[in-house]
Amino acid sequence: MTLLARPQPAHTTAASRKQALPAWPVTALLALYPLWWALGLGVLIFPIMAVPMLVLLLRRRAAGRPLLLPPGFGWWVLFLAAVLVSVVTLGVDPPGTVAEHASDRMLAVVYRLTLYVTMTVLLLYAGNLTALELPRRRLVKLLGWLFVVTVLGGLLGMVAGHFEFTSPVEWLLPPGVRGKGFVQSLVHPYAAQIMDIVGGEKPRPAAPWGYTNTWGNNFCLLAGWLVVAAWSSKKAGARLFAVLCLLVSIAPAVVSLNRGLWIGLGVLVLYVAFRYVLLGKVWILGAVAVATAGLVVALLASPLGDVVNARLDNGKSNGVRSFLIDRAMDGFAQSPVVGYGSTRNTIGGRNSIAVGESESCERCGNFTVGGNGQLWQLLFAHGAAGTLGYLGFFGYALWRFRRDRSAIGITASAAIVTSFSAMLWYNALATPLAFMVLAVALLWRNELEGDA
């Protein structure tokens, strides 16, 4: 693999044009995501955009320009291989899970594998773009823009939690298809998930990411990019906007009742502070202390504090999470190398096998083993091989680029560290994993372009 700084051509020739990679697939993917969500494409836009990305990469390779691979890419190849090999166990029914034929589980496997391949293409495409084709600062701005979109979606979920509409893509689907829950999660735009967490059904922000947990995961992964984009612009207006956006974001972050999000933000702040202290910028500790004190005062002086207390006093999901973690670890112990190829549904609930889903109680049983965190899904579905490959790739990126002291490098590393904590309760597909591989691509490009 090539890791040297890439020379930029002084003039454009027909051959160089064939070798060039246009930025529009990445730009359109990120900048227009609210449009894709409204059209009903949502996460489907990622595999759609991966097609022209792959074609352009292959065309450039055929024109004689080498395809660069990121450091540690072998770990990712190991992960993809484990995902493929684990398909052979799809027909196995672990104890305590609903018996199904392997073919009934194939749709979910194909969907998941397609997204993993899509993220591979996105990683390679974003990493092979040059500073002339897509400057890193522009990519950072696009990621910062998506944090703004996340905050706006959170505010929409707060003030209009029942807002939803039938998307154009949804209209095109046959009634029997578009009515399925999984299909609805892909093509039906809605502002929030209505859930009973702290007594009574209340909206929890989800737009435009489909699920409240995904919204919280992306909130943590994208927050740092807004700060980097604003401060790198050196414009007072941009910095003021970033500060106001961060202040406003507190409300939907609290109302989401998302404890994983709160923990993730704590991990993010502590990691960034740690990195800056290592650089001798001890003032960051004072800034964190002041910001923390301000946040505490704001919570105590507003109804948001009552929301936090109510969520901490109601841990309804704790028992289900513990139950599913136990099932995932039991499955891992029974098939430790390659796992079971996909998730499984439990027979009944955590208290009785006689309890199951029904129209009156959709969350009473038949829980998804591997659906409560990327780590548990990796262990259960793809065994030690898949887990090692996945963690090895992102872990190696952290180690390889540990000396990158730029704002982009620290923020990208912080996003990866935050994703490690999120693995305990969030699944990564699809948008969180996309933002993780883009963080790796930015670290990689910092090294390639020689100014990390």
mmCIF file of all heavy atoms in Angstrom, residues 157-189:
data_model
loop_
_atom_site.group_PDB
_atom_site.id
_atom_site.type_symbol
_atom_site.label_atom_id
_atom_site.label_comp_id
_atom_site.label_asym_id
_atom_site.label_seq_id
_atom_site.Cartn_x
_atom_site.Cartn_y
_atom_site.Cartn_z
ATOM 1 N N GLY A 157 -38.415 16.368 16.527
ATOM 2 C CA GLY A 157 -38.958 15.294 17.349
ATOM 3 C C GLY A 157 -39.531 15.794 18.660
ATOM 4 O O GLY A 157 -40.477 15.204 19.202
ATOM 5 N N MET A 158 -38.973 16.888 19.175
ATOM 6 C CA MET A 158 -39.474 17.457 20.431
ATOM 7 C C MET A 158 -40.820 18.157 20.243
ATOM 8 O O MET A 158 -41.751 17.950 21.016
ATOM 9 C CB MET A 158 -38.466 18.467 20.988
ATOM 10 C CG MET A 158 -37.244 17.880 21.635
ATOM 11 S SD MET A 158 -36.156 19.192 22.254
ATOM 12 C CE MET A 158 -37.248 20.034 23.420
ATOM 13 N N VAL A 159 -40.917 18.996 19.221
ATOM 14 C CA VAL A 159 -42.108 19.850 19.060
ATOM 15 C C VAL A 159 -43.193 19.192 18.228
ATOM 16 O O VAL A 159 -44.358 19.596 18.306
ATOM 17 C CB VAL A 159 -41.715 21.208 18.435
ATOM 18 C CG1 VAL A 159 -40.678 21.906 19.287
ATOM 19 C CG2 VAL A 159 -41.181 21.035 17.010
ATOM 20 N N ALA A 160 -42.831 18.201 17.425
ATOM 21 C CA ALA A 160 -43.826 17.535 16.577
ATOM 22 C C ALA A 160 -43.498 16.052 16.531
ATOM 23 O O ALA A 160 -43.193 15.500 15.467
ATOM 24 C CB ALA A 160 -43.824 18.146 15.178
ATOM 25 N N GLY A 161 -43.570 15.442 17.691
ATOM 26 C CA GLY A 161 -43.152 14.049 17.812
ATOM 27 C C GLY A 161 -43.940 13.076 16.963
ATOM 28 O O GLY A 161 -43.440 12.014 16.604
ATOM 29 N N HIS A 162 -45.170 13.428 16.615
ATOM 30 C CA HIS A 162 -46.016 12.524 15.819
ATOM 31 C C HIS A 162 -45.949 12.841 14.330
ATOM 32 O O HIS A 162 -46.711 12.269 13.554
ATOM 33 C CB HIS A 162 -47.457 12.601 16.307
ATOM 34 C CG HIS A 162 -47.641 12.059 17.696
ATOM 35 N ND1 HIS A 162 -47.856 10.718 17.960
ATOM 36 C CD2 HIS A 162 -47.614 12.676 18.912
ATOM 37 C CE1 HIS A 162 -47.974 10.540 19.275
ATOM 38 N NE2 HIS A 162 -47.831 11.710 19.866
ATOM 39 N N PHE A 163 -45.047 13.738 13.960
ATOM 40 C CA PHE A 163 -44.926 14.098 12.548
ATOM 41 C C PHE A 163 -44.363 12.923 11.751
ATOM 42 O O PHE A 163 -43.354 12.335 12.113
ATOM 43 C CB PHE A 163 -44.004 15.308 12.395
ATOM 44 C CG PHE A 163 -43.702 15.665 10.976
ATOM 45 C CD1 PHE A 163 -44.625 16.340 10.208
ATOM 46 C CD2 PHE A 163 -42.480 15.317 10.402
ATOM 47 C CE1 PHE A 163 -44.345 16.679 8.884
ATOM 48 C CE2 PHE A 163 -42.194 15.647 9.091
ATOM 49 C CZ PHE A 163 -43.124 16.330 8.334
ATOM 50 N N GLU A 164 -45.042 12.593 10.658
ATOM 51 C CA GLU A 164 -44.595 11.547 9.746
ATOM 52 C C GLU A 164 -45.303 11.736 8.415
ATOM 53 O O GLU A 164 -46.313 12.441 8.343
ATOM 54 C CB GLU A 164 -44.887 10.151 10.310
ATOM 55 C CG GLU A 164 -46.354 9.887 10.571
ATOM 56 C CD GLU A 164 -46.596 8.488 11.125
ATOM 57 O OE1 GLU A 164 -46.078 7.531 10.522
ATOM 58 O OE2 GLU A 164 -47.288 8.372 12.139
ATOM 59 N N PHE A 165 -44.793 11.133 7.384
ATOM 60 C CA PHE A 165 -45.455 11.227 6.082
ATOM 61 C C PHE A 165 -45.020 10.059 5.206
ATOM 62 O O PHE A 165 -44.013 9.391 5.481
ATOM 63 C CB PHE A 165 -45.142 12.563 5.396
ATOM 64 C CG PHE A 165 -43.686 12.810 5.136
ATOM 65 C CD1 PHE A 165 -43.099 12.460 3.923
ATOM 66 C CD2 PHE A 165 -42.887 13.413 6.109
ATOM 67 C CE1 PHE A 165 -41.756 12.698 3.681
ATOM 68 C CE2 PHE A 165 -41.545 13.664 5.874
ATOM 69 C CZ PHE A 165 -40.984 13.298 4.665
ATOM 70 N N THR A 166 -45.813 9.820 4.191
ATOM 71 C CA THR A 166 -45.507 8.749 3.244
ATOM 72 C C THR A 166 -44.562 9.289 2.187
ATOM 73 O O THR A 166 -44.874 10.259 1.496
ATOM 74 C CB THR A 166 -46.798 8.239 2.573
ATOM 75 O OG1 THR A 166 -47.703 7.785 3.587
ATOM 76 C CG2 THR A 166 -46.493 7.092 1.629
ATOM 77 N N SER A 167 -43.406 8.681 2.075
ATOM 78 C CA SER A 167 -42.383 9.155 1.145
ATOM 79 C C SER A 167 -42.691 8.690 -0.279
ATOM 80 O O SER A 167 -43.454 7.741 -0.487
ATOM 81 C CB SER A 167 -41.018 8.632 1.565
ATOM 82 O OG SER A 167 -40.941 7.230 1.349
ATOM 83 N N PRO A 168 -42.107 9.351 -1.284
ATOM 84 C CA PRO A 168 -42.289 8.907 -2.671
ATOM 85 C C PRO A 168 -41.863 7.462 -2.901
ATOM 86 O O PRO A 168 -42.550 6.716 -3.601
ATOM 87 C CB PRO A 168 -41.405 9.881 -3.464
ATOM 88 C CG PRO A 168 -41.375 11.124 -2.637
ATOM 89 C CD PRO A 168 -41.376 10.642 -1.213
ATOM 90 N N VAL A 169 -40.741 7.066 -2.302
ATOM 91 C CA VAL A 169 -40.298 5.676 -2.464
ATOM 92 C C VAL A 169 -41.318 4.727 -1.841
ATOM 93 O O VAL A 169 -41.625 3.662 -2.400
ATOM 94 C CB VAL A 169 -38.910 5.475 -1.825
ATOM 95 C CG1 VAL A 169 -38.552 3.990 -1.776
ATOM 96 C CG2 VAL A 169 -37.856 6.250 -2.598
ATOM 97 N N GLU A 170 -41.871 5.102 -0.716
ATOM 98 C CA GLU A 170 -42.866 4.267 -0.050
ATOM 99 C C GLU A 170 -44.106 4.093 -0.913
ATOM 100 O O GLU A 170 -44.698 3.005 -0.974
ATOM 101 C CB GLU A 170 -43.218 4.907 1.290
ATOM 102 C CG GLU A 170 -44.079 4.048 2.194
ATOM 103 C CD GLU A 170 -44.340 4.720 3.523
ATOM 104 O OE1 GLU A 170 -43.817 5.834 3.755
ATOM 105 O OE2 GLU A 170 -45.075 4.126 4.331
ATOM 106 N N TRP A 171 -44.526 5.169 -1.597
ATOM 107 C CA TRP A 171 -45.700 5.090 -2.468
ATOM 108 C C TRP A 171 -45.487 4.090 -3.598
ATOM 109 O O TRP A 171 -46.451 3.466 -4.080
ATOM 110 C CB TRP A 171 -46.002 6.468 -3.063
ATOM 111 C CG TRP A 171 -46.811 7.378 -2.200
ATOM 112 C CD1 TRP A 171 -46.419 8.566 -1.648
ATOM 113 C CD2 TRP A 171 -48.169 7.174 -1.771
ATOM 114 N NE1 TRP A 171 -47.427 9.114 -0.898
ATOM 115 C CE2 TRP A 171 -48.524 8.288 -0.960
ATOM 116 C CE3 TRP A 171 -49.112 6.176 -1.987
ATOM 117 C CZ2 TRP A 171 -49.776 8.423 -0.375
ATOM 118 C CZ3 TRP A 171 -50.360 6.294 -1.412
ATOM 119 C CH2 TRP A 171 -50.687 7.405 -0.612
ATOM 120 N N LEU A 172 -44.248 3.947 -4.041
ATOM 121 C CA LEU A 172 -43.967 3.070 -5.179
ATOM 122 C C LEU A 172 -43.969 1.592 -4.809
ATOM 123 O O LEU A 172 -44.025 0.740 -5.693
ATOM 124 C CB LEU A 172 -42.607 3.445 -5.787
ATOM 125 C CG LEU A 172 -42.508 4.851 -6.401
ATOM 126 C CD1 LEU A 172 -41.077 5.130 -6.850
ATOM 127 C CD2 LEU A 172 -43.469 4.992 -7.564
ATOM 128 N N LEU A 173 -43.896 1.284 -3.518
ATOM 129 C CA LEU A 173 -43.836 -0.110 -3.086
ATOM 130 C C LEU A 173 -45.227 -0.728 -3.015
ATOM 131 O O LEU A 173 -46.200 -0.041 -2.702
ATOM 132 C CB LEU A 173 -43.162 -0.204 -1.711
ATOM 133 C CG LEU A 173 -41.704 0.265 -1.633
ATOM 134 C CD1 LEU A 173 -41.222 0.215 -0.192
ATOM 135 C CD2 LEU A 173 -40.809 -0.592 -2.523
ATOM 136 N N PRO A 174 -45.322 -2.031 -3.274
ATOM 137 C CA PRO A 174 -46.615 -2.711 -3.119
ATOM 138 C C PRO A 174 -47.095 -2.620 -1.671
ATOM 139 O O PRO A 174 -46.267 -2.636 -0.739
ATOM 140 C CB PRO A 174 -46.299 -4.162 -3.503
ATOM 141 C CG PRO A 174 -45.043 -4.087 -4.314
ATOM 142 C CD PRO A 174 -44.270 -2.934 -3.768
ATOM 143 N N PRO A 175 -48.415 -2.531 -1.433
ATOM 144 C CA PRO A 175 -48.928 -2.392 -0.068
ATOM 145 C C PRO A 175 -48.434 -3.483 0.874
ATOM 146 O O PRO A 175 -48.144 -3.222 2.050
ATOM 147 C CB PRO A 175 -50.451 -2.463 -0.259
ATOM 148 C CG PRO A 175 -50.669 -1.992 -1.663
ATOM 149 C CD PRO A 175 -49.485 -2.481 -2.441
ATOM 150 N N GLY A 176 -48.331 -4.722 0.385
ATOM 151 C CA GLY A 176 -47.889 -5.807 1.246
ATOM 152 C C GLY A 176 -46.446 -5.701 1.667
ATOM 153 O O GLY A 176 -46.042 -6.260 2.690
ATOM 154 N N VAL A 177 -45.659 -4.947 0.901
ATOM 155 C CA VAL A 177 -44.235 -4.778 1.215
ATOM 156 C C VAL A 177 -44.027 -3.570 2.112
ATOM 157 O O VAL A 177 -43.329 -3.639 3.127
ATOM 158 C CB VAL A 177 -43.405 -4.638 -0.073
ATOM 159 C CG1 VAL A 177 -41.956 -4.318 0.245
ATOM 160 C CG2 VAL A 177 -43.498 -5.908 -0.900
ATOM 161 N N ARG A 178 -44.633 -2.448 1.740
ATOM 162 C CA ARG A 178 -44.379 -1.226 2.497
ATOM 163 C C ARG A 178 -44.967 -1.253 3.899
ATOM 164 O O ARG A 178 -44.618 -0.445 4.750
ATOM 165 C CB ARG A 178 -44.878 0.003 1.741
ATOM 166 C CG ARG A 178 -46.381 0.109 1.566
ATOM 167 C CD ARG A 178 -46.723 1.498 1.033
ATOM 168 N NE ARG A 178 -48.148 1.650 0.764
ATOM 169 C CZ ARG A 178 -48.675 1.806 -0.438
ATOM 170 N NH1 ARG A 178 -47.877 1.811 -1.494
ATOM 171 N NH2 ARG A 178 -49.978 1.960 -0.594
ATOM 172 N N GLY A 179 -45.866 -2.199 4.176
ATOM 173 C CA GLY A 179 -46.459 -2.295 5.495
ATOM 174 C C GLY A 179 -45.604 -3.040 6.506
ATOM 175 O O GLY A 179 -45.886 -3.010 7.706
ATOM 176 N N LYS A 180 -44.555 -3.718 6.038
ATOM 177 C CA LYS A 180 -43.684 -4.470 6.948
ATOM 178 C C LYS A 180 -42.852 -3.517 7.800
ATOM 179 O O LYS A 180 -42.377 -2.484 7.324
ATOM 180 C CB LYS A 180 -42.774 -5.411 6.155
ATOM 181 C CG LYS A 180 -43.533 -6.496 5.394
ATOM 182 C CD LYS A 180 -42.581 -7.415 4.684
ATOM 183 C CE LYS A 180 -43.341 -8.513 3.927
ATOM 184 N NZ LYS A 180 -44.110 -9.387 4.832
ATOM 185 N N GLY A 181 -42.646 -3.880 9.064
ATOM 186 C CA GLY A 181 -41.946 -3.014 9.999
ATOM 187 C C GLY A 181 -40.542 -2.662 9.551
ATOM 188 O O GLY A 181 -40.115 -1.506 9.652
ATOM 189 N N PHE A 182 -39.806 -3.653 9.055
ATOM 190 C CA PHE A 182 -38.431 -3.397 8.617
ATOM 191 C C PHE A 182 -38.403 -2.426 7.447
ATOM 192 O O PHE A 182 -37.580 -1.499 7.402
ATOM 193 C CB PHE A 182 -37.757 -4.712 8.230
ATOM 194 C CG PHE A 182 -36.386 -4.548 7.647
ATOM 195 C CD1 PHE A 182 -35.326 -4.125 8.437
ATOM 196 C CD2 PHE A 182 -36.152 -4.794 6.305
ATOM 197 C CE1 PHE A 182 -34.053 -3.961 7.903
ATOM 198 C CE2 PHE A 182 -34.889 -4.638 5.761
ATOM 199 C CZ PHE A 182 -33.833 -4.224 6.562
ATOM 200 N N VAL A 183 -39.313 -2.614 6.494
ATOM 201 C CA VAL A 183 -39.378 -1.727 5.337
ATOM 202 C C VAL A 183 -39.766 -0.319 5.771
ATOM 203 O O VAL A 183 -39.228 0.672 5.280
ATOM 204 C CB VAL A 183 -40.364 -2.275 4.293
ATOM 205 C CG1 VAL A 183 -40.509 -1.306 3.127
ATOM 206 C CG2 VAL A 183 -39.905 -3.636 3.795
ATOM 207 N N GLN A 184 -40.694 -0.231 6.720
ATOM 208 C CA GLN A 184 -41.105 1.071 7.236
ATOM 209 C C GLN A 184 -39.920 1.830 7.823
ATOM 210 O O GLN A 184 -39.787 3.044 7.651
ATOM 211 C CB GLN A 184 -42.180 0.889 8.306
ATOM 212 C CG GLN A 184 -43.560 0.552 7.760
ATOM 213 C CD GLN A 184 -44.316 1.786 7.297
ATOM 214 O OE1 GLN A 184 -44.615 2.672 8.084
ATOM 215 N NE2 GLN A 184 -44.616 1.831 6.016
ATOM 216 N N SER A 185 -39.068 1.122 8.528
ATOM 217 C CA SER A 185 -37.903 1.788 9.144
ATOM 218 C C SER A 185 -36.948 2.338 8.100
ATOM 219 O O SER A 185 -36.166 3.247 8.397
ATOM 220 C CB SER A 185 -37.161 0.796 10.050
ATOM 221 O OG SER A 185 -36.504 -0.207 9.286
ATOM 222 N N LEU A 186 -37.019 1.814 6.869
ATOM 223 C CA LEU A 186 -36.117 2.261 5.810
ATOM 224 C C LEU A 186 -36.699 3.394 4.981
ATOM 225 O O LEU A 186 -35.974 4.316 4.589
ATOM 226 C CB LEU A 186 -35.775 1.090 4.879
ATOM 227 C CG LEU A 186 -34.995 -0.077 5.472
ATOM 228 C CD1 LEU A 186 -34.832 -1.176 4.433
ATOM 229 C CD2 LEU A 186 -33.635 0.380 5.971
ATOM 230 N N VAL A 187 -38.006 3.363 4.705
ATOM 231 C CA VAL A 187 -38.569 4.266 3.699
ATOM 232 C C VAL A 187 -39.609 5.237 4.247
ATOM 233 O O VAL A 187 -40.053 6.130 3.521
ATOM 234 C CB VAL A 187 -39.194 3.459 2.535
ATOM 235 C CG1 VAL A 187 -38.172 2.545 1.895
ATOM 236 C CG2 VAL A 187 -40.403 2.644 3.016
ATOM 237 N N HIS A 188 -40.015 5.087 5.508
ATOM 238 C CA HIS A 188 -41.075 5.940 6.053
ATOM 239 C C HIS A 188 -40.477 6.995 6.983
ATOM 240 O O HIS A 188 -40.036 6.674 8.091
ATOM 241 C CB HIS A 188 -42.093 5.085 6.817
ATOM 242 C CG HIS A 188 -43.273 5.867 7.307
ATOM 243 N ND1 HIS A 188 -44.261 6.312 6.462
ATOM 244 C CD2 HIS A 188 -43.614 6.300 8.552
ATOM 245 C CE1 HIS A 188 -45.168 6.974 7.159
ATOM 246 N NE2 HIS A 188 -44.794 6.991 8.434
ATOM 247 N N PRO A 189 -40.442 8.266 6.571
ATOM 248 C CA PRO A 189 -39.852 9.307 7.422
ATOM 249 C C PRO A 189 -40.771 9.660 8.592
ATOM 250 O O PRO A 189 -41.976 9.844 8.425
ATOM 251 C CB PRO A 189 -39.720 10.506 6.466
ATOM 252 C CG PRO A 189 -39.884 9.947 5.085
ATOM 253 C CD PRO A 189 -40.797 8.782 5.241
#
